[in-house]
Structures are given as structure tokens and as C-alpha cells.
Amino acid sequence: MMGMVGITLEEITKKFGNFTALNKINLKIEDKEFMALLGPSGSGKSTLLYTIAGIYKPSSGKIYFNDKDVTETPPKDRNVGLVFQNWALYPHMRVFKNIAFPLELKKSSRNEIEKKVREVAKMLHIDHLLDRYPWQLSGGQQQRVAIARALVKEPDVLLLDEPLSNLDALLRLEVRAELKRLQKELGITTIYVTHDQAEALAMADRIAIIREGKILQVGDPDEVYYKPMYKFVAGFLGSPPMNFIHAEVEGGNIRIYQSKISVPKQYREIIKRLEITEVLFGFRPHDAEIIRGEREGIKGEVYSFEPLGREQIVTIAVNSDVFVKVFAPEGEHFSFGEKVTIVPNEERVILFDKKTEKALEYFP
Amino acid sequence: MKGKKLQTLSFFLSPMIIMVGLFYLIPLIFTIYISFTKMKNWNTEKYLSEVVGFYNYQRLFHMFQHDPMIKAILLTTVIFVGITLIINVLGGLLLALGTFFVNESSASAIRLLWLLPRMSPIAVYSLVWYYFFHGSDIGTLNSILMKLGAISTPIPWGQMTPWGAWSVIIFVNGLVGVSFGMIVFTSSLNQIPKELVIAARVDGASAWQISRRILIPLTKWHFLYVLTWQFLSLLTTYPHLFLLVEWDLVNRDYGTTLALYVFNTAFGRGEQDQGLAAAAAVILSIIGILGGFVTLKVLQFERMIHEPRGDIE
């Protein structure tokens, strides 16, 4: 039912006065792909979405839908469906009218409108709400109406701007699964803007991480999670975020404050080749063990611990002002100030260049 | 507890009650009283206690029926309020919608331009249009038309009855009133979430469709508010009209509304008939109160009043 549409962004730059919102963005989104644009607020991810929709014109660069240059095409001729964070339902129209609005603008026949609105409403389980006004609906229902309105015109591309962030936490989890399923069933090329890393990891086929108008890395969830290209990416994905500790390279060892551990296997050659002496030592809270007694690892003192049910987060002071977080199994007992050793899983350690904050394996 | 509440209430309400009492209720009661007396030329000693019942009202209704001047004034009031109201409200709405779709700096410039009539002193502003519509060849409009060869002799615009006089007073007041609606509508349009407009745009709506289907329905309340406000203010306004009539720019009968008639009868040249003026003022007030009441009902004003959060104890 939907056309095949891949999107190519070529050197997209968008300036608002002196402020560069997007800086030479290159990105390819495949047909039927679910692409997440992930970044903190103000990173330019929504600007990029609106540029793809045609609401903003890029200051330079080109946008292609398949092979067609749509850079100058007005929004209405791009056939995109847009869903907003606040859902942007027309408050004075009933649900039926809200969903029918795009079709009315297209001058579809009355029968066709009736049929399509009912169809899409049924698909999103809101067919019993068509006579209500938006203010009579719950947040989750309003969100479905917004998605229905975006889908009813059978767009080639679905653009979602933080559609879940106005929902409460529990509902968000539910809708997340449903939205992912819907996207695959419809097979519609989807771009999803979010600042929530968990959402991006859970739903997207690929994630583009954006900071200050630049794409730092594009990859599937595993890739960006386990092979982050920059400290920023590593720190932005995962909760709690990756630990970063200042470290010095001494021959085949890495010195972290009072501790000394050997350079992880995968980095031995790179470090030698690049002749690096200072690194940021990164590991995720899940990728380390807390040991009592003598072992090669990072020595520290238990600062605090937070049981979370199935596991607990232990905060350990490696130095007076350097803290790391490590997960420990439930039931293990800690006491404040206890001396422990953190043993990171060697394979999962990531070393970043101190100056560029780029992961060493991505150096040429 | 009850006494405490009353004390708090009276503390907060007393400024308002004093203001309304002093400047509205007492004059209103006084006016109603005067309308039942033979009050003339401010001769309070002689006439203030001379109650004549409905005499002034009878005179007024007799004049409504038989005096051609009063008939002209009534007709002028209806035409003036009706047409100026439409110009004010629709003009304000069109300007607000128009500036909504252009960039902010030119929108501000346009808005400022339309605020000029409101900002300039009434006498200065009226004088501008006095010269513009002047009936001789010194009138700007006449001299332009004569230079263009459209007319050979100057036209006394304001003395052509009825439509010449009406057009001038409607034009002059219409221009002043547009800015009020414009400001209210502009602020109400700016409160509409921009996503609603973006969504409609992505779905292919033109500026006209966005205005008609989304913006105008969402400013309905402001529309009714401006309508009521302007109706009441047009019903009672007279400064511009007074000057235009005094300067003989417009015909006296077809340039005078009921509000100006009340003023002239009470304070004008020649014999001042405060009793009659008061009766006319009472009728004008009744029309205003009725009009305001009807629109408040239509507005469903009660629905805008919320229960207070928390208790006032």
C-alpha cells in the first residue's frame, strides 16, 4: 500500500541567523527502516525532522526521497505524516474530524474519507472514540489519534517528534512495543526523534546520535551501544551511563590512580601504534564485577549502594572526587567505606583519546 | 469564622466597590433621578426638586416619532454602530491573520502603523481627517481628485446626506477601532500552539484554509469579546464625532449619534435640557446593558469563571 521511499540527506546545513542548528548532515535512511534521531535537547534533531518534512528549508545541502530531489518541494507534496510531542490535535474538532482533516484537504470523496478514517481508527483501537473531543481523551488515546491522523493519508514517510514523552512511564513502555510492531506491519519508512536513549535502543533499526547539529555516529542499537565512536555516545546510551576514568598508559599497563591493570587485548596494538600515553578508561556499570580481596583491578571504597530489586547499583570512590557505578547482584552486602576491587570485563572496556574523546579503535 | 471571611472579603473588594459606587452607581442613580425632573441649564435650585414623572420620556418618544432631527440621529446611531462595528472587528481580525503569516519584523511594523490613530491625540487625529475630507478645494481628497481630473468642483463630502456624512464618521472611527481588535486577535493567535499550524501545513492546508478551519474557530471567544467591547464603546463614544460636527465637516443631523446628542443636550450651546438628556442617557444605558447582557449569555461567561483553588478562610 505504501510506496517505497528511502531518504538521502546530503550535506544538510541549517542556520538560524548566526546559529548553526544543523552542520553538514549526511544520512541515508533505507526504505521501511525505523531510524531514531537521538540527542539531548537543543541538539538539532527536531530541526532535522522538520527539514525532512519541508517546514524548514535547509540553508544548503540536498534532500532526496528515492532519487527525487525534494529540497524545494513544499511539505504537502512530500507526502509525509507528522506526529508531534504535544500531538497537536485540533481542540475544536471531534476525533473523526481530526483524523479526516488531511483527507478533506486532499478533497477526497465523503465515502472514501468515512472508510479510511474508520479503517485507521480500528487499526489503532480508537474506533469507539470518534465522537469525542480531544479534551475528553486520555493522553494515550490522544496520542493514538495523532498517529491515526498522520497515517490516514497513507504517507510515504512517518515522522515522529518525541511522540511518547508526554505519556506516563508505564504507558510509554506499552506504546513503545505497539508502535514498533505497527511500523513493521505497515512497512513505512519512519524517522523518530527522541532524547530518550532507552526508546531509541528499544525501537529503532538504526540510531543516529546527534550533538550540536552534527551526527556523531550512525549504527544499529548493538553497534552504538557496544562500539560507541565517541565518549559522548557512550555516555548518552545506557542507564546509568558508562563510567569514564582518567588513566595513564605505562608500557603494557594502564595506571588508574593507585591501581594498575594490563591494557585490554584489543587495544594493545592500537596503543603502541598511536603512541598514546593518556586515555579515558570507559566501562559500563554492567560490565564489571566487585571483588573483595586481591585481584588485578581498580581499587576503591564503597561510597553508597542502591538496591533496585533484582540488582543493586554500587557507587565506588576510586579517588576522593572520582566515582564509578557498578551493578552487583541482589543479596550481596556492602558497607559504607568498605575497600573493594572493581574488575572490568576486559572485552567490554573502551579506551578513548583524551583530547578528541574518540574511541581508539576508530582512529585510522 | 463567618465574620473573618466577611472581613477578608470586604478588604479585597472595597476598592472596587468604592470605585464602582462613586463613579458609576451614584452618577447612574443621579442620572435616573434627573431624568424625572425638569432640570434645565444646570439651575439646580429651581429645578432639581421639580419632579415631573415620565414627562421627559414622553417628550423623547414623541420626538422619536415625529422630530426629523431625532429620527436622523437614531438612524445614524444604528448605521454608525453597525457598520463601524463590522469594520472594527473584521478589520482587526484580518490584520491579525495577515500579520500572522508574515515575518515578525514586518508584522510589528504593520501593527505599529495601525496603532498610530489610537496613539495620536483625538484633536490632532480628527484634524488630519478634517483637512482630508474638507469640502472645499483645500481638502486633500478634493484636491487630489481635482488634480487627477476626476471631479471639476470640490465635493462637500461630509455634508452629503446621509451617506456622505455617515461614510466620513464611520471611516474616521473605524480606523481608530481596528487596532483594538488587532491587538486582542494577535495575542490570541499567538497563543495557539504552532504545531497545529505546522500539522495543517504538512497536510496541505493553505493560509486561507488554516485561517478558516483552525485559527478563526480557536479565536471564537476573543471574537465575541471584541464584538461586545466594541459594540459598547461605539454606542457611547462621541469625542471624534463632536469635533467633526463642531467643525462643520459633517452634517449635524447625520453626524450625531445618540451619545453625542446626550452630550449636546446636556452641555451643548444654547438651552441645556439636562432632564431630557438624562432620559436619553438612561435609554442609551439600557440598550448598552441589554446588549452586554445578551453577549455575555452567548459567551457563556459563567463557564469562564473557575472555582477558587483552596479555601478562603
Side-chain angles (χ1 to χ4, degrees):
Chain A
M1 57 186 267
M2 317 265 174
M4 297 245 301
V5 172
I7 300 169
T8 310
L9 306 176
E10 248 179 45
E11 297 281 302
I12 295 291
T13 295
K14 175 68 186 172
K15 289 184 178 175
F16 297 104
N18 284 330
F19 175 70
T20 306
L22 299 174
N23 194 352
K24 295 189 181 162
I25 299 274
N26 286 295
L27 187 63
K28 214 172 151 61
I29 298 139
E30 306 293 338
D31 178 43
K32 297 187 175 50
E33 187 174 31
F34 194 132
M35 170 69 85
L37 303 179
L38 175 66
S41 58
S43 58
K45 55 194 191 305
S46 291
T47 307
L48 184 57
L49 192 79
Y50 289 161
T51 308
I52 295 169
I55 292 153
Y56 293 142
K57 269 205 184 119
S59 309
S60 63
K62 296 250 177 250
I63 304 169
Y64 297 92
F65 282 16
N66 292 335
D67 297 330
K68 196 176 151 229
D69 182 352
V70 296
T71 316
E72 298 294 321
T73 310
K76 70 184 170 77
D77 298 326
R78 297 192 186 196
N79 199 21
V80 296
L82 190 50
V83 178
F84 296 90
Q85 178 174 356
N86 62 7
W87 309 315
L89 300 179
Y90 308 120
H92 57 295
M93 297 184 195
R94 290 175 198 273
V95 169
F96 185 95
K97 275 273 170 197
N98 260 287
I99 302 175
F101 192 64
L103 297 179
E104 285 176 6
L105 292 174
K106 273 185 168 180
K107 304 224 179 333
S108 304
S109 75
R110 190 174 280 226
N111 283 338
E112 200 187 339
I113 292 177
E114 183 82 22
K115 190 174 141 258
K116 282 191 175 166
V117 170
R118 301 226 173 259
E119 219 173 76
V120 76
K122 203 164 174 201
M123 183 169 77
L124 288 158
H125 313 296
I126 46 170
D127 40 344
H128 58 297
L129 304 171
L130 291 174
D131 286 334
R132 304 237 188 126
Y133 283 101
W135 50 269
Q136 295 170 310
L137 304 179
S138 70
Q141 290 169 335
Q142 290 188 42
Q143 199 246 12
R144 283 160 196 271
V145 175
I147 293 176
R149 189 179 64 188
L151 288 178
V152 77
K153 56 178 189 175
E154 298 176 3
D156 294 327
V157 181
L158 184 60
L159 304 173
L160 304 161
D161 186 8
E162 309 239 11
L164 304 188
S165 52
N166 279 12
L167 298 178
D168 62 66
L170 214 63
L171 193 57
R172 208 179 303 169
L173 287 182
E174 199 179 300
V175 177
R176 204 160 86 178
E178 218 174 308
L179 201 56
K180 182 172 182 170
R181 167 104 196 177
L182 183 72
Q183 192 268 339
K184 284 293 167 250
E185 273 174 6
L186 294 176
I188 179 170
T189 311
T190 300
I191 304 175
Y192 187 99
V193 163
T194 181
H195 68 274
D196 182 341
Q197 50 91 23
E199 243 169 52
L201 288 172
M203 297 168 79
D205 296 324
R206 282 195 304 154
I207 302 171
I209 294 105
I210 301 184
R211 185 180 65 162
E212 290 170 5
K214 279 188 187 156
I215 291 186
L216 293 183
Q217 188 175 6
V218 187
D220 62 42
D222 273 357
E223 205 175 331
V224 290
Y225 188 79
Y226 289 114
K227 294 270 167 228
M229 196 185 277
Y230 289 94
K231 179 194 168 204
F232 177 81
V233 176
F236 202 70
L237 292 161
S239 172
M242 185 180 268
N243 298 301
F244 304 103
I245 323 175
H246 175 83
E248 280 156 24
V249 181
E250 298 174 352
N253 291 318
I254 290 178
R255 170 170 288 285
I256 299 169
Y257 297 99
Q258 286 77 34
S259 321
K260 206 185 233 187
I261 59 175
S262 46
V263 172
K265 279 193 222 86
Q266 71 270 29
Y267 283 107
R268 281 180 196 158
E269 250 180 62
I270 305 173
I271 281 189
K272 239 184 235 163
R273 178 160 56 84
L274 296 173
E275 294 177 355
I276 276 174
T277 56
E278 274 189 319
V279 291
L280 279 173
F281 186 93
F283 64 96
R284 295 198 180 275
H286 268 296
D287 295 329
E289 252 183 298
I290 301 171
I291 302 285
R292 295 175 171 88
E294 274 311 304
R295 255 227 4 234
E296 188 189 280
I298 306 160
K299 309 235 170 350
E301 269 179 22
V302 173
Y303 178 79
S304 188
F305 43 94
E306 307 152 57
L308 298 175
R310 201 167 54 82
E311 53 197 356
Q312 49 185 327
I313 301 177
V314 186
T315 306
I316 297 163
V318 174
N319 197 15
S320 59
D321 57 349
V322 179
F323 300 93
V324 298
K325 288 186 189 295
V326 178
F327 276 104
E330 65 174 326
E332 199 173 330
H333 290 282
F334 294 95
S335 46
F336 294 104
E338 191 186 350
K339 296 216 184 307
V340 290
T341 304
I342 306 159
V343 181
N345 177 349
E346 191 182 14
E347 291 166 22
R348 292 282 170 81
V349 167
I350 297 176
L351 300 182
F352 298 89
D353 175 43
K354 195 94 209 250
K355 218 164 78 198
T356 57
E357 298 191 335
K358 195 173 184 177
L360 294 187
E361 60 261 50
Y362 286 100
F363 274 80
Chain B
M1 233 23 180
K2 200 92 184 166
K4 185 96 194 315
K5 189 170 178 179
L6 199 68
Q7 212 179 341
T8 323
L9 269 180
S10 47
F11 174 76
F12 282 107
L13 289 180
S14 55
M16 186 63 190
I17 288 171
I18 291 169
M19 291 282 285
V20 170
L22 210 58
F23 297 108
Y24 185 75
L25 275 181
I26 292 175
L28 184 70
I29 291 165
F30 198 58
T31 304
I32 294 172
Y33 172 72
I34 289 179
S35 75
F36 290 108
T37 68
K38 220 177 166 181
M39 186 73 167
K40 246 187 247 172
N41 295 326
W42 293 112
N43 194 337
T44 45
E45 271 172 48
K46 190 168 173 197
Y47 294 116
L48 193 57
S49 49
E50 201 180 332
V51 177
V52 291
F54 283 95
Y55 172 67
N56 287 320
Y57 292 93
Q58 283 163 356
R59 263 205 299 159
L60 204 59
F61 282 111
H62 184 80
M63 284 154 77
F64 283 172
Q65 283 167 341
H66 303 293
D67 186 337
M69 181 189 88
I70 298 293
K71 276 191 192 170
I73 287 172
L74 282 181
L75 193 58
T76 302
T77 308
V78 172
I79 299 282
F80 170 76
V81 172
I83 297 180
T84 317
L85 187 62
I86 293 169
I87 291 175
N88 281 178
V89 177
L90 291 188
L93 184 62
L94 282 178
L95 271 171
L97 285 171
T99 50
F100 185 79
F101 288 103
V102 302
N103 67 50
E104 192 41 48
S105 55
S106 35
S108 312
I110 294 169
R111 277 184 221 126
L112 188 69
L113 193 71
W114 281 90
L115 269 174
L116 281 178
R118 177 76 72 182
M119 293 191 294
S120 32
I122 291 171
V124 174
Y125 172 76
S126 300
L127 200 60
V128 170
W129 296 112
Y130 172 76
Y131 282 115
F132 187 81
F133 287 116
H134 199 277
S136 73
D137 51 7
I138 65 155
T140 316
L141 186 58
N142 277 327
S143 77
I144 290 172
L145 289 176
M146 280 162 77
K147 282 227 171 71
L148 289 175
I151 52 173
S152 51
T153 51
I155 296 175
W157 302 101
Q159 297 300 340
M160 293 165 58
T161 55
W163 284 104
W166 287 345
S167 302
V168 173
I169 58 172
I170 287 169
F171 180 86
V172 172
N173 278 277
L175 221 52
V176 182
V178 164
S179 59
F180 177 75
M182 181 186 73
I183 286 173
V184 174
F185 290 133
T186 300
S187 92
S188 88
L189 290 181
N190 285 338
Q191 275 173 21
I192 295 174
K194 68 176 191 329
E195 285 85 358
L196 292 186
V197 178
I198 295 177
R201 225 176 226 167
V202 168
D203 289 338
S206 61
W208 161 244
Q209 284 168 320
I210 291 172
S211 302
R212 195 175 61 89
R213 302 286 305 269
I214 294 159
L215 300 179
I216 293 177
L218 289 179
T219 51
K220 194 176 75 182
W221 288 59
H222 297 85
F223 187 87
L224 288 172
Y225 167 71
V226 171
L227 196 72
T228 315
W229 183 271
Q230 291 289 64
F231 168 71
L232 294 177
S233 89
L234 285 170
L235 201 61
T236 52
T237 189
Y238 62 82
H240 296 92
L241 300 174
F242 172 76
L243 292 177
L244 296 179
V245 169
E246 279 304 293
W247 295 340
D248 269 336
L249 182 74
V250 294
N251 179 276
R252 183 162 280 271
D253 295 349
Y254 290 95
T256 301
T257 62
L258 201 49
L260 180 57
Y261 173 75
V262 169
F263 176 82
N264 280 337
T265 310
F267 305 99
R269 286 177 294 197
E271 198 195 44
Q272 298 172 337
D273 192 339
Q274 281 89 27
L276 188 65
V282 168
I283 290 188
L284 194 61
S285 302
I286 290 172
I287 296 172
I289 290 168
L290 280 181
F293 191 70
V294 166
T295 26
L296 286 188
K297 271 285 151 202
V298 174
L299 269 169
Q300 293 178 300
F301 193 70
E302 317 83 84
R303 268 181 36 191
M304 275 169 39
I305 304 167
H306 294 287
E307 287 285 311
R309 285 162 200 260
D311 294 322
I312 310 165
E313 292 286 350

